[in-house]
Amino acid sequence: MSEYKELKDDKEEEKKNNPNRLTAQQLADINTGEEGLNRNEWKIRFDRDGPNELPEKKVNPILKFLSYYWGPMPVMIWCAIIIETIRLSLIDAVVLLILQFFNGFVGWYEEKNAGNAIEALKKNLAPRAKVKREGKWETIAARELVQGDRINIKLGDIIPADSILGPGYAEIDQSALTGESLAVTRYEGETVYQGSVCKRGDLEAIVIATGPRTFFGKTSTLVGQVNQKGNFQRVILKVTGILMIVSFVLVAIIMIVVLTKGNDFLVTLSICVVILVASIPIATQVVCTATMAVGAHALAQRQAIVCKLSSIEELAGMQILCSDKTGTLTKNELTVQQPMMLKNYTIEDIFLAAGLACKREVGSQDAIDKCVSEYAIQKCRISFQGYEEEDFIPFDPKNKRTEATVRNTKTGETFKCAKGAPQVILAMSKDPSIEEEVTRFVEELAQRGYRTLGVSRTNAQGAWIMLGLIPLYDPPRDDTKETIHKAIQMEVKVKMITGDQIAIAKETAKLLNLGDKIYNSDLLSEDSSAVQRELLDTLVEEADGFAEVFPEHKFGIVKILQDKGHRVGMTGDGVNDAPALKKADVGIAVDGATDAARAAADIVLTSPGLSVIIEAIYRARKIFQRMNNYCIYRVACTVQLLLFFFITMCSVNPDSDFTCHYHDDKDACKHIPNTFTLPVIAIVLITVLNDGTIVSIAYDRVTVSKKPERWNLSLMFFNAITCGGIALVSSIILLLTSLDNLDTRDADPFYNAFNIGVFKYGEVLTAIYMKVALSDFLTLFAARTNSWFWTRKPGNILLFAFVFATLCATFFSTYWFLNFSNGDSGNIPDMKPISWKLAGFIWGFDIIFFILQDIVKVYQLKFFDYYYSLQGKDTGYSGAVLTDTFLVFTGVTDGRENKRSIVTRRSMAAAGV
């Protein structure tokens, strides 16, 4: 490996390009033979240096757990606990501690599960490297590299470790490390750094440093942005922020009004703090993270690895999917068809030149190289042993060809061979006499769906001579046609983006029922006509696909569609697709994508084809529905709870507004307060049980909309306020009638009708506690559907949480035992257990108003559907839905067109002419 260490004599240049001066150990390690390291050498070095990764900062699990008990909301609960302790309300303090522990534990548990899911994603997305060990090339996890490993670096690879290049050169993008926007060229003997991207080249290198010993001391990870906040989290935080502002304002007003009535400061402060805790959605982040993590885990099991959790919401709202043709819509299983020979050249001449322009080493070939070289060896019986490769230029999306400089070892002749896009090869030959014939043949083959390779070599004078054309057929995938049909059913428009000839694209689109509006990329170039540029946005929006596309065209297509207000997904696999993948709302790296494409993508597919994307969209829409249901439910709960206490504490005076009289207990009316409120412990119990029910929404059974999802916060708030408002009205009705039922001399006729006796004030408190608690839990069933509540069965976990919470609220009410001496208790009397008869009445009362909630909700949504339809808009809520059976795949112009040459200005530029 001595040739790999031939550094420049210029010491300054050497220092500039190789600032990592090699140590004696490194110099010894990199003296690797052509066979690479053996297993024993690798194990010794791996044990000595450790894995090729930075040591992660370990977080103390105890401190991590305790961190969930510190923050704005936990601090408020701690304040309430301290206040209750000062007041000697020990049971209140204990129940608040239980609430604190419950919220912290659930937050820790769900984040832990989310973290485990994300760690699993990281393992699936871990960088890999191609290394030569004991004479065989193999692909391994990049963390297993050691100093002295012989690796292969090619277009699109992220450099896995600091390395010295072997023979050849490479263009390296170091922008992620140095901020330099332009790629730099590195030659044999120069160092390339871990984390940089290979933009051109295909060569070997020797690893000189791994892990923390690399020059920049950091690795390139594919999931570094997995927890970035996206639109999903921003919407949730916006909802939370609105509720927080409203809660703080109303609670501040409550505090002022109650204190002006002469009530105890600590009692009032304690109640206000607890109301604030109950009103603000503490579990928002937990529900958001848990729902996302559950969804990401499910998608990973279906070969769609989520790199950024926020991309799930974008996927749910995706309206247009720009898809590659080769390998995504088609099988990428090429077969050679009958070649076309030019002039007097034979089939052996064509496949000798084509084979020499291929990488023939097993394991390093792409689909075209494998297909052509196998045909040359097996069908044409060509041997390449008499030829020595002096230089090889791998395929580049800009130049669209491979090129090899070869020496015939028998004759000593040196010549070049090239294979690639026929328009590029034709432009290189500069032979006008064959242009019409080649163009006609290429277009005829394209109309039959065949891709075509042009083949050429240089003559004795060094001029390029085109030898012929090799047709290749890549059939559509068996499930592609059905997949596109399902995408159309989901109102996702699929646009085919391919670098192939327009005739090939049209034939493929015809086979797949994609549509016939396939345009050439000339529309997107600066050479397009003024009329074309004027209509460009409309053409791109209406197009079914584009042919002869270059990487920069993909970026332009995405930008135009986004400017038109669409959410766009883009599939890609190459390093030059990275800008378009980043620009798209959902960048999707397809199976077999380069490291650079995977790093730029939001979602990485690990199985070929589009069908997995359809399932990913389906599951993303499920996740969206769960989050939407959560928002409606949480806002409705806040409306009922916060406004109930605001109205009752500010305007209801049980002592002066209502008459209290008991024949058998004349002292009972002496403790009626001037402000109605529930004891702290009752509010805390409502909060604890409510939070447990809310978390279960992440596992609810939901429907999937046939339309792309989008947030309609105005309608969401209106729906939530309506549901919460009806529950609020029913709570106030029950409170006023209950307070009117404190006089044995004049019982309330409403209760008399149901043969329910006069209440004591403590029973009123318990009845209102039970009523408010049950209303909250029942509201969930109105919030979780856009139709009648019985149209969709709830998830088992949610149903269990509901049954548990309602049973707890009922038994607490009928067997209330949490009374105690309050110390300085202020004016809040003890709660008293209520009869089973009254409990049953409250259940019936709540169910009646729950049904009213559901009726109003359904007709309200129908009204908004009608209102939006008059304006030509979509509510984003109602409409047809899909079921899980949707994911089952069941099977597998007349006029003459103006002919033009396949040689364009772009292909001439690619050919270098």
Side-chain angles (χ1 to χ4, degrees):
M1 189 57 202
S2 58
E3 68 271 21
Y4 277 39
K5 297 182 290 179
E6 295 176 0
L7 303 180
K8 298 185 177 182
D9 294 333
D10 187 332
K11 299 299 182 183
E12 289 300 319
E13 189 66 22
E14 178 185 338
K15 186 175 180 180
K16 177 181 177 182
N17 289 330
N18 189 17
N20 255 4
R21 284 300 188 88
L22 301 185
T23 64
Q25 182 66 62
Q26 287 175 313
L27 288 170
D29 285 347
I30 66 174
N31 192 22
T32 305
E34 290 295 329
E35 299 296 306
L37 300 178
N38 59 43
R39 301 296 171 184
N40 290 333
E41 289 173 324
W42 170 81
K43 188 175 187 311
I44 291 171
R45 298 180 190 188
F46 188 82
D47 292 341
R48 180 192 70 195
D49 298 332
N52 177 35
E53 59 188 9
L54 288 180
E56 294 185 10
K57 183 180 179 181
K58 298 294 182 182
V59 178
N60 188 306
I62 297 176
L63 294 178
K64 179 67 175 176
F65 179 75
L66 293 177
S67 69
Y68 291 91
Y69 298 96
W70 187 256
M73 291 308 300
V75 165
M76 290 178 65
I77 299 177
W78 287 124
C79 290
I81 292 170
I82 292 171
I83 294 169
E84 293 305 310
T85 304
I86 293 173
R87 294 179 54 235
L88 301 180
S89 301
L90 299 183
I91 293 186
D92 283 354
V94 169
V95 175
L96 281 166
L97 275 172
I98 293 173
L99 171 64
Q100 185 80 295
F101 174 78
F102 175 80
N103 282 328
F105 177 80
V106 171
W108 168 80
Y109 180 76
E110 294 294 349
E111 291 276 2
K112 176 174 171 288
N113 285 345
N116 291 341
I118 291 170
E119 283 302 316
L121 300 183
K122 286 184 177 181
K123 290 180 181 178
N124 287 328
L125 289 175
R128 304 185 70 79
K130 192 172 181 180
V131 63
K132 198 172 192 179
R133 299 258 176 88
E134 297 180 342
K136 295 181 180 179
W137 286 103
E138 56 187 85
T139 301
I140 64 170
R143 70 183 302 273
E144 298 177 10
L145 288 176
V146 297
Q147 286 180 184
D149 259 329
R150 182 185 288 267
I151 62 174
N152 174 256
I153 297 172
K154 64 181 183 303
L155 174 72
D157 284 351
I158 293 177
I159 308 301
D162 287 3
S163 307
I164 290 181
L165 296 180
Y169 74 95
E171 286 188 9
I172 305 296
D173 179 2
Q174 300 182 143
S175 58
L177 308 178
T178 65
E180 297 176 8
S181 58
L182 297 177
V184 295
T185 303
R186 292 286 179 256
Y187 297 94
E188 178 181 356
E190 294 186 337
T191 303
V192 292
Y193 301 112
Q194 182 188 61
S196 52
V197 179
C198 180
K199 303 289 290 217
R200 178 180 292 185
D202 190 338
L203 67 169
E204 294 181 16
I206 294 295
V207 174
I208 61 170
T210 59
R213 291 163 299 282
T214 57
F215 178 65
F216 284 91
K218 60 182 180 182
T219 59
S220 173
T221 70
L222 294 176
V223 288
Q225 302 179 39
V226 73
N227 286 318
Q228 280 190 338
K229 286 187 175 64
N231 187 54
F232 224 1
Q233 288 92 334
R234 286 194 293 270
V235 169
I236 297 298
L237 292 176
K238 184 176 181 179
V239 172
T240 304
I242 292 172
L243 296 182
M244 285 184 65
I245 293 171
V246 173
S247 299
F248 273 109
V249 171
L250 295 186
V251 169
I253 295 173
I254 292 172
M255 181 98 176
I256 295 170
V257 171
V258 173
L259 288 178
T260 57
K261 293 181 180 182
N263 289 286
D264 182 80
F265 175 77
L266 281 180
V267 175
T268 304
L269 179 62
S270 174
I271 292 172
C272 286
V273 170
V274 173
I275 291 174
L276 199 60
V277 169
S279 302
I280 297 174
I282 303 173
T284 294
Q285 192 58 40
V286 174
V287 173
C288 183
T289 304
T291 305
M292 294 281 202
V294 168
H297 182 67
L299 292 176
Q301 291 179 322
R302 301 294 183 177
Q303 291 81 47
I305 301 172
V306 178
C307 304
K308 301 173 189 173
L309 292 182
S310 60
S311 65
I312 292 176
E313 188 258 352
E314 301 289 355
L315 189 62
M318 186 174 71
Q319 299 165 305
I320 296 174
L321 175 62
C322 299
S323 173
D324 274 341
K325 181 181 78 70
T326 304
T328 304
L329 299 179
T330 63
K331 293 182 177 180
N332 201 22
E333 297 175 359
L334 300 173
T335 56
V336 174
Q337 306 301 308
Q338 179 60 41
M340 169 201 175
M341 284 74 72
L342 293 172
K343 300 183 178 178
N344 296 321
Y345 297 108
T346 64
I347 189 172
E348 287 77 14
D349 294 330
I350 295 176
F351 278 96
L352 174 62
L356 290 172
C358 291
K359 291 183 72 69
R360 296 181 300 280
E361 187 172 8
V362 176
S364 64
Q365 298 172 304
D366 61 21
I368 293 178
D369 284 352
K370 184 174 183 294
C371 171
V372 171
S373 58
E374 285 182 355
Y375 192 92
I377 295 171
Q378 297 173 10
K379 299 290 185 180
C380 299
R381 305 297 181 184
I382 295 174
S383 173
F384 299 101
Q385 292 182 354
Y387 299 91
E388 183 178 298
E389 184 180 284
E390 296 185 345
D391 188 25
F392 185 83
I393 300 175
F395 178 82
D396 183 284
K398 292 182 179 179
N399 294 340
K400 289 187 175 290
R401 70 178 186 274
T402 61
E403 185 179 315
T405 302
V406 181
R407 186 174 65 87
N408 187 323
T409 56
K410 295 179 180 178
T411 64
E413 177 192 10
T414 299
F415 58 95
K416 293 181 178 182
C417 298
K419 74 175 193 319
Q423 64 269 30
V424 174
I425 301 300
L426 181 58
M428 291 168 60
S429 70
K430 302 179 183 179
D431 186 354
S433 65
I434 62 172
E435 187 169 313
E436 183 177 347
E437 182 182 7
V438 170
T439 298
R440 177 178 52 79
F441 191 72
V442 167
E443 291 186 346
E444 287 176 357
L445 289 171
Q447 288 170 3
R448 293 157 58 190
Y450 292 166
R451 299 171 65 183
T452 312
L453 278 181
V455 181
S456 66
R457 59 163 289 172
T458 56
N459 57 19
Q461 291 74 39
W464 285 102
I465 305 297
M466 189 168 187
L467 306 178
L469 297 165
I470 301 177
L472 302 173
Y473 182 59
D474 182 15
R477 298 184 59 80
D478 297 333
D479 62 350
T480 297
K481 188 173 183 178
E482 186 178 3
T483 299
I484 291 172
H485 177 66
K486 288 183 180 293
I488 293 171
Q489 288 181 287
M490 301 180 84
E491 298 193 15
V492 175
K493 171 72 172 177
V494 179
K495 294 180 184 290
M496 179 173 61
I497 312 293
T498 178
D500 287 342
Q501 294 285 326
I502 189 169
I504 299 176
K506 286 184 175 181
E507 179 63 20
T508 303
K510 181 181 177 181
L511 290 173
L512 299 176
N513 290 339
L514 259 178
D516 56 2
K517 295 179 181 177
I518 308 296
Y519 299 114
N520 191 284
S521 62
D522 288 347
L523 282 173
L524 306 168
S525 70
E526 295 180 357
D527 298 330
S528 58
S529 67
V531 174
Q532 288 175 329
R533 288 195 296 272
E534 184 73 23
L535 300 175
L536 182 59
D537 289 2
T538 302
L539 286 171
V540 170
E541 190 175 29
E542 295 179 353
D544 297 309
F546 289 92
E548 301 179 35
V549 167
F550 283 78
E552 58 267 31
H553 294 144
K554 292 185 178 183
F555 184 92
I557 291 169
V558 171
K559 185 177 185 304
I560 289 171
L561 292 172
Q562 287 177 331
D563 291 343
K564 296 286 286 184
H566 298 291
R567 282 195 184 179
V568 184
M570 170 63 78
T571 69
D573 59 359
V575 62
N576 288 288
D577 293 331
L581 292 175
K582 278 186 173 292
K583 177 66 176 172
D585 298 291
V586 185
I588 303 170
V590 298
D591 183 46
T594 61
D595 289 347
R598 287 156 61 98
D602 303 306
I603 296 174
V604 176
L605 305 183
T606 55
S607 66
L610 274 183
S611 58
V612 66
I613 299 178
I614 297 300
E615 184 163 355
I617 296 171
Y618 182 90
R619 296 187 181 278
R621 291 185 184 179
K622 272 192 172 184
I623 294 166
F624 182 96
Q625 279 297 325
R626 292 190 180 109
M627 295 308 301
N628 185 65
N629 295 344
Y630 163 75
C631 289
I632 295 174
Y633 176 52
R634 197 60 190 84
V635 173
C637 288
T638 297
V639 168
Q640 181 191 202
L641 200 64
L642 181 61
L643 291 184
F644 175 76
F645 284 109
F646 177 76
I647 293 171
T648 58
M649 293 181 73
C650 292
S651 61
V652 177
N653 188 331
D655 185 31
S656 62
D657 296 343
F658 298 90
T659 302
C660 178
H661 183 271
Y662 304 107
H663 293 300
D664 57 346
D665 188 1
K666 296 182 179 180
D667 293 332
C669 294
K670 293 181 180 180
H671 302 291
I672 303 297
N674 63 5
T675 301
F676 179 84
T677 185
L678 293 178
V680 167
I681 191 169
I683 302 174
V684 172
L685 284 175
I686 292 173
T687 305
V688 170
L689 295 174
N690 202 24
D691 281 355
T693 308
I694 283 176
V695 172
S696 67
I697 291 176
Y699 307 93
D700 189 20
R701 185 180 285 109
V702 294
T703 56
V704 177
S705 171
K706 278 191 174 182
K707 298 180 179 180
E709 298 282 13
R710 63 181 180 84
W711 288 101
N712 188 335
L713 290 183
S714 300
L715 185 55
M716 186 272 291
F717 271 107
F718 201 99
N719 196 21
I721 291 170
T722 300
C723 290
I726 292 173
L728 167 66
V729 170
S730 65
S731 297
I732 293 176
I733 290 173
L734 190 72
L735 172 63
L736 296 179
T737 54
S738 297
L739 291 175
D740 195 45
N741 200 39
L742 296 174
D743 189 353
T744 55
R745 298 167 302 181
D746 185 20
D748 186 87
F750 180 67
Y751 290 102
N752 266 341
F754 292 93
N755 199 24
I756 296 175
V758 176
F759 301 149
K760 291 185 178 180
Y761 190 77
E763 291 175 324
V764 173
L765 293 176
T766 307
I768 296 303
Y769 155 73
M770 180 178 174
K771 193 276 164 205
V772 171
L774 293 183
S775 286
D776 270 357
F777 306 143
L778 286 170
T779 298
L780 173 59
F781 286 86
R784 62 182 292 274
T785 64
N786 296 326
S787 183
W788 304 107
F789 72 90
W790 64 78
T791 56
R792 187 169 77 247
K793 181 182 176 182
N796 293 334
I797 295 177
L798 184 144
L799 186 61
F800 172 80
F802 167 78
V803 171
F804 177 80
T806 52
L807 287 178
C808 284
T810 303
F811 279 101
F812 272 130
S813 301
T814 53
Y815 298 103
W816 188 263
F817 59 91
L818 297 176
N819 291 325
F820 53 93
S821 177
N822 247 1
D824 183 14
S825 59
N827 296 323
I828 304 178
D830 289 341
M831 293 174 64
K832 304 292 184 184
I834 61 176
S835 66
W836 277 100
K837 186 175 183 179
L838 179 55
F841 171 82
I842 294 172
W843 261 102
F845 183 84
D846 271 340
I847 288 173
I848 289 172
F849 275 92
F850 161 68
I851 293 173
L852 179 62
Q853 266 184 334
D854 207 51
I855 293 171
V856 173
K857 174 204 70 179
V858 169
Y859 283 99
Q860 177 179 275
L861 287 176
K862 287 184 178 179
F863 168 77
F864 274 102
D865 274 339
Y866 175 72
Y867 172 75
Y868 277 98
S869 66
L870 291 178
Q871 295 185 327
K873 297 180 181 178
D874 177 30
T875 58
Y877 270 68
S878 301
V881 296
L882 304 169
T883 62
D884 287 349
T885 56
F886 178 79
L887 295 179
V888 177
F889 284 77
T890 56
V892 186
T893 52
D894 299 332
R896 295 176 58 85
E897 297 183 20
N898 293 325
K899 300 294 183 180
R900 63 184 180 88
S901 171
I902 61 172
V903 178
T904 63
R905 293 174 62 180
R906 189 64 183 262
S907 60
M908 292 178 66
V913 297

